[in-house]
Amino acid sequence: MAQRLPDWLTIRVPRPDMIQNVEQMMRGKNLHTVCESARCPNLAECFSKKTATFMILGNTCTRSCGFCAIKVGRGETVDVDEPDNVAETTEKLGLKHVVVTSVTRDDLPDEGSGQFFDTITSIHKRLPNVIVEVLTPDFKEKRDCIKTVCDAHPEIYNHNVETVSRLQTIVRPQAKYSRSLRVLEIVKELDPSIYTKSGIMLGLGETQDEVVQTLKDLKASGVDAITIGQYLRPTMKHLPVVEYINPKVFKEYEQIGDEMGFAFVASGPFVRSSYNAIAFSEKVMKERLDRMESEGAGASA
Ligand code: SF4
């Protein structure tokens, strides 16, 4: 079990005033961000890059992953004003790339997919140029729930496998590796124009071969972008860190991911699912604009 934090993990403390401003705005609209609740070390950097992650459907999860600090229990009443509040706050914060995630709601008939649909639609209606990335639960691999989210046309659909296949039952007991891969495949089957993304945490006891195998499995499932970061223990009640992975090793995985042909790879100790998300969306938008221009040029020729 890893003891002292290595030098490269000196925690970046977000500027209190920045958190305060955002917190006031969020509380005023009964909204939650993962950035705040996870006290994410990247908060200041992401906010300064005009990205943030909203957590919809309350902050009580019906599952209990061993790495996650979110409260576990009965899901909260779904707030019907939440979609418009997220869109309005996105506008107020001047965000260019917004990530919408949620706790898992195994208690809801639609697993919460309807609230994702309404939230994406509200943002797109109010802010057509804002990139919407969703980071969804596995919806128990229900195709109709995944379709509900895809029908709102998020630009990026993210679903994390979180760790390697062998460690799933320890790290996320109510989830399955194969099911998560299947969710990402179904998105591409339903709408190939949606970019898919997934992420894993390292330092939970996985081997390098297992990490490479996970990247191969994600590539085989048609995933476009991946994030690879260091697991940090939120409290003593959560899984211990087995190893602090050296930044050089993260660099190696980045290179392996690039060689495998992923459109985007973010790999580093501080990398999180939505970390530097705008770098991928800027790449996405540029590719899309280039494609539209070439199609436009082709049509006028
Ligand atoms: S399903 Fe998501 S929100 Fe729920 S405990 Fe697991 S990681 Fe946390």
Side-chain angles (χ1 to χ4, degrees):
M1 188 164 77
Q3 297 307 327
R4 230 171 49 74
L5 274 182
D7 303 343
W8 62 78
L9 274 178
T10 45
I11 292 294
R12 309 169 195 165
V13 180
R15 282 197 356 244
D17 61 325
M18 195 173 253
I19 291 195
Q20 239 156 30
N21 302 349
V22 172
E23 276 178 346
Q24 274 153 15
M25 213 180 281
M26 296 294 164
R27 289 308 84 73
K29 291 283 176 192
N30 187 29
L31 293 175
H32 308 281
T33 68
V34 174
C35 325
E36 297 163 85
S37 50
R39 283 269 175 249
C40 179
N42 304 314
L43 188 143
E45 189 182 341
C46 290
F47 283 166
S48 62
K49 287 185 180 167
K50 299 288 177 207
T51 60
T53 301
F54 291 95
M55 190 160 70
I56 60 173
L57 294 161
N59 55 11
T60 307
C61 186
T62 51
R63 295 190 184 174
S64 53
C65 301
F67 62 90
C68 180
I70 293 194
K71 203 168 58 182
V72 176
R74 266 178 70 79
E76 292 156 30
T77 310
V78 176
D79 176 358
V80 290
D81 299 326
E82 188 172 57
D84 288 343
N85 286 342
V86 169
E88 193 185 322
T89 308
T90 299
E91 186 171 29
K92 277 205 184 121
L93 286 171
L95 302 179
K96 285 195 265 174
H97 182 123
V98 60
V99 181
V100 178
T101 189
S102 84
V103 293
T104 297
R105 296 298 304 262
D106 294 314
D107 58 316
L108 296 174
D110 73 348
E111 312 279 333
S113 56
Q115 190 80 339
F116 271 97
F117 178 91
D118 294 344
T119 306
I120 302 162
T121 306
S122 292
I123 299 169
H124 276 158
K125 212 160 108 220
R126 183 186 276 258
L127 305 155
N129 297 326
V130 165
I131 297 281
V132 180
E133 172 176 342
V134 290
L135 172 54
T136 78
D138 63 22
F139 297 135
K140 297 199 198 83
E141 199 190 322
K142 290 180 183 171
R143 195 179 183 89
D144 55 344
C145 296
I146 300 166
K147 186 173 183 311
T148 299
V149 178
C150 292
D151 287 349
H153 307 296
E155 279 74 21
I156 303 165
Y157 193 116
N158 191 346
H159 173 68
N160 288 330
V161 290
E162 304 291 6
T163 186
V164 300
S165 176
R166 176 176 58 84
L167 298 177
Q168 293 283 325
T169 41
I170 307 165
V171 174
R172 45 199 304 248
Q174 296 101 339
K176 284 201 194 92
Y177 185 78
S178 56
R179 185 158 73 189
S180 286
L181 292 177
R182 192 69 199 113
V183 169
L184 293 157
E185 288 161 7
I186 291 171
V187 173
K188 282 293 183 190
E189 288 165 13
L190 291 167
D191 184 346
S193 76
I194 296 178
Y195 288 86
T196 52
K197 183 177 172 183
S198 189
I200 56 174
M201 302 166 289
L202 304 184
L204 289 156
E206 70 291 329
T207 67
Q208 294 205 3
D209 290 351
E210 287 176 319
V211 174
V212 173
Q213 185 55 51
T214 305
L215 300 186
K216 285 183 183 156
D217 295 342
L218 289 169
K219 192 75 185 97
S221 297
V223 170
D224 301 294
I226 50 171
T227 58
I228 308 171
Q230 168 72 50
Y231 165 59
L232 294 174
R233 189 182 201 173
T235 74
M236 294 310 285
K237 279 188 295 169
H238 293 88
L239 291 170
V241 174
V242 174
E243 186 187 358
Y244 290 113
I245 309 295
N246 190 293
K248 288 197 205 84
V249 178
F250 280 107
K251 268 275 162 249
E252 287 163 22
Y253 289 135
E254 189 169 310
Q255 200 180 336
I256 292 167
D258 288 337
E259 283 157 12
M260 283 182 183
F262 285 102
F264 179 81
V265 183
S267 178
F270 284 110
V271 168
R272 298 290 176 273
S273 311
S274 344
Y275 176 66
N276 208 10
I278 202 154
F280 179 42
S281 65
E282 279 164 353
K283 191 168 194 281
V284 165
M285 292 319 286
K286 187 175 175 320
E287 279 175 6
R288 187 161 288 178
L289 287 172
D290 294 351
R291 201 171 43 243
M292 282 154 71
E293 262 157 33
S294 60
E295 279 158 10
S300 55

PDB file of all heavy atoms in Angstrom, residues 61 63-65 67-68 70 103-104, ligand 1:
ATOM      1  N   CYS A  61     -26.065   8.568  -4.719  1.00  0.00           N
ATOM      2  CA  CYS A  61     -25.980   7.503  -5.725  1.00  0.00           C
ATOM      3  C   CYS A  61     -26.552   6.183  -5.193  1.00  0.00           C
ATOM      4  O   CYS A  61     -26.460   5.898  -3.999  1.00  0.00           O
ATOM      5  CB  CYS A  61     -24.516   7.279  -6.108  1.00  0.00           C
ATOM      6  SG  CYS A  61     -24.334   6.118  -7.470  1.00  0.00           S
ATOM      7  N   ARG A  63     -25.397   3.377  -6.070  1.00  0.00           N
ATOM      8  CA  ARG A  63     -24.318   2.384  -6.081  1.00  0.00           C
ATOM      9  C   ARG A  63     -23.210   2.823  -5.118  1.00  0.00           C
ATOM     10  O   ARG A  63     -23.237   3.947  -4.611  1.00  0.00           O
ATOM     11  CB  ARG A  63     -23.765   2.192  -7.495  1.00  0.00           C
ATOM     12  CG  ARG A  63     -24.803   1.602  -8.445  1.00  0.00           C
ATOM     13  CD  ARG A  63     -24.183   1.186  -9.755  1.00  0.00           C
ATOM     14  NE  ARG A  63     -25.228   0.722 -10.663  1.00  0.00           N
ATOM     15  CZ  ARG A  63     -25.023   0.402 -11.940  1.00  0.00           C
ATOM     16  NH1 ARG A  63     -23.792   0.498 -12.451  1.00  0.00           N
ATOM     17  NH2 ARG A  63     -26.016   0.015 -12.714  1.00  0.00           N
ATOM     18  N   SER A  64     -22.238   1.967  -4.921  1.00  0.00           N
ATOM     19  CA  SER A  64     -21.176   2.293  -3.931  1.00  0.00           C
ATOM     20  C   SER A  64     -19.812   1.851  -4.437  1.00  0.00           C
ATOM     21  O   SER A  64     -19.258   0.839  -3.993  1.00  0.00           O
ATOM     22  CB  SER A  64     -21.496   1.571  -2.623  1.00  0.00           C
ATOM     23  OG  SER A  64     -21.701   0.176  -2.922  1.00  0.00           O
ATOM     24  N   CYS A  65     -19.266   2.606  -5.378  1.00  0.00           N
ATOM     25  CA  CYS A  65     -17.948   2.260  -5.906  1.00  0.00           C
ATOM     26  C   CYS A  65     -16.891   2.574  -4.850  1.00  0.00           C
ATOM     27  O   CYS A  65     -16.987   3.582  -4.153  1.00  0.00           O
ATOM     28  CB  CYS A  65     -17.679   3.035  -7.188  1.00  0.00           C
ATOM     29  SG  CYS A  65     -18.918   2.701  -8.462  1.00  0.00           S
ATOM     30  N   PHE A  67     -14.021   3.781  -4.899  1.00  0.00           N
ATOM     31  CA  PHE A  67     -13.107   4.921  -5.068  1.00  0.00           C
ATOM     32  C   PHE A  67     -13.841   6.257  -4.992  1.00  0.00           C
ATOM     33  O   PHE A  67     -13.204   7.311  -5.054  1.00  0.00           O
ATOM     34  CB  PHE A  67     -12.459   4.838  -6.466  1.00  0.00           C
ATOM     35  CG  PHE A  67     -13.455   4.914  -7.597  1.00  0.00           C
ATOM     36  CD1 PHE A  67     -13.818   6.136  -8.151  1.00  0.00           C
ATOM     37  CD2 PHE A  67     -14.064   3.778  -8.099  1.00  0.00           C
ATOM     38  CE1 PHE A  67     -14.746   6.218  -9.171  1.00  0.00           C
ATOM     39  CE2 PHE A  67     -14.996   3.837  -9.125  1.00  0.00           C
ATOM     40  CZ  PHE A  67     -15.328   5.063  -9.662  1.00  0.00           C
ATOM     41  N   CYS A  68     -15.145   6.209  -4.857  1.00  0.00           N
ATOM     42  CA  CYS A  68     -15.942   7.416  -5.061  1.00  0.00           C
ATOM     43  C   CYS A  68     -16.472   8.011  -3.755  1.00  0.00           C
ATOM     44  O   CYS A  68     -17.022   7.298  -2.921  1.00  0.00           O
ATOM     45  CB  CYS A  68     -17.126   7.067  -5.964  1.00  0.00           C
ATOM     46  SG  CYS A  68     -18.177   8.494  -6.295  1.00  0.00           S
ATOM     47  N   ILE A  70     -18.907  10.127  -3.369  1.00  0.00           N
ATOM     48  CA  ILE A  70     -20.306  10.582  -3.421  1.00  0.00           C
ATOM     49  C   ILE A  70     -21.174   9.789  -2.457  1.00  0.00           C
ATOM     50  O   ILE A  70     -20.965   8.589  -2.258  1.00  0.00           O
ATOM     51  CB  ILE A  70     -20.815  10.493  -4.872  1.00  0.00           C
ATOM     52  CG1 ILE A  70     -20.046  11.532  -5.692  1.00  0.00           C
ATOM     53  CG2 ILE A  70     -22.313  10.696  -4.948  1.00  0.00           C
ATOM     54  CD1 ILE A  70     -20.537  11.867  -7.024  1.00  0.00           C
ATOM     55  N   VAL A 103     -25.044  10.894 -10.816  1.00  0.00           N
ATOM     56  CA  VAL A 103     -24.929   9.692 -10.010  1.00  0.00           C
ATOM     57  C   VAL A 103     -25.681   8.593 -10.756  1.00  0.00           C
ATOM     58  O   VAL A 103     -26.394   8.858 -11.726  1.00  0.00           O
ATOM     59  CB  VAL A 103     -25.575   9.928  -8.621  1.00  0.00           C
ATOM     60  CG1 VAL A 103     -24.778  10.946  -7.805  1.00  0.00           C
ATOM     61  CG2 VAL A 103     -27.025  10.379  -8.758  1.00  0.00           C
ATOM     62  N   THR A 104     -25.549   7.352 -10.313  1.00  0.00           N
ATOM     63  CA  THR A 104     -26.336   6.282 -10.933  1.00  0.00           C
ATOM     64  C   THR A 104     -27.695   6.213 -10.255  1.00  0.00           C
ATOM     65  O   THR A 104     -27.774   6.268  -9.027  1.00  0.00           O
ATOM     66  CB  THR A 104     -25.595   4.940 -10.811  1.00  0.00           C
ATOM     67  OG1 THR A 104     -24.368   5.034 -11.541  1.00  0.00           O
ATOM     68  CG2 THR A 104     -26.410   3.799 -11.389  1.00  0.00           C
TER      69      THR A 104
HETATM   70  S1  SF4 B   1     -21.771   4.949  -9.799  1.00  0.00           S
HETATM   71 FE1  SF4 B   1     -20.631   6.864 -10.085  1.00  0.00          FE
HETATM   72  S2  SF4 B   1     -21.430   8.305  -8.594  1.00  0.00           S
HETATM   73 FE2  SF4 B   1     -22.091   6.234  -8.014  1.00  0.00          FE
HETATM   74  S3  SF4 B   1     -20.615   5.532  -6.528  1.00  0.00           S
HETATM   75 FE3  SF4 B   1     -19.977   4.799  -8.542  1.00  0.00          FE
HETATM   76  S4  SF4 B   1     -18.606   6.392  -9.346  1.00  0.00           S
HETATM   77 FE4  SF4 B   1     -19.715   7.279  -7.643  1.00  0.00          FE
END
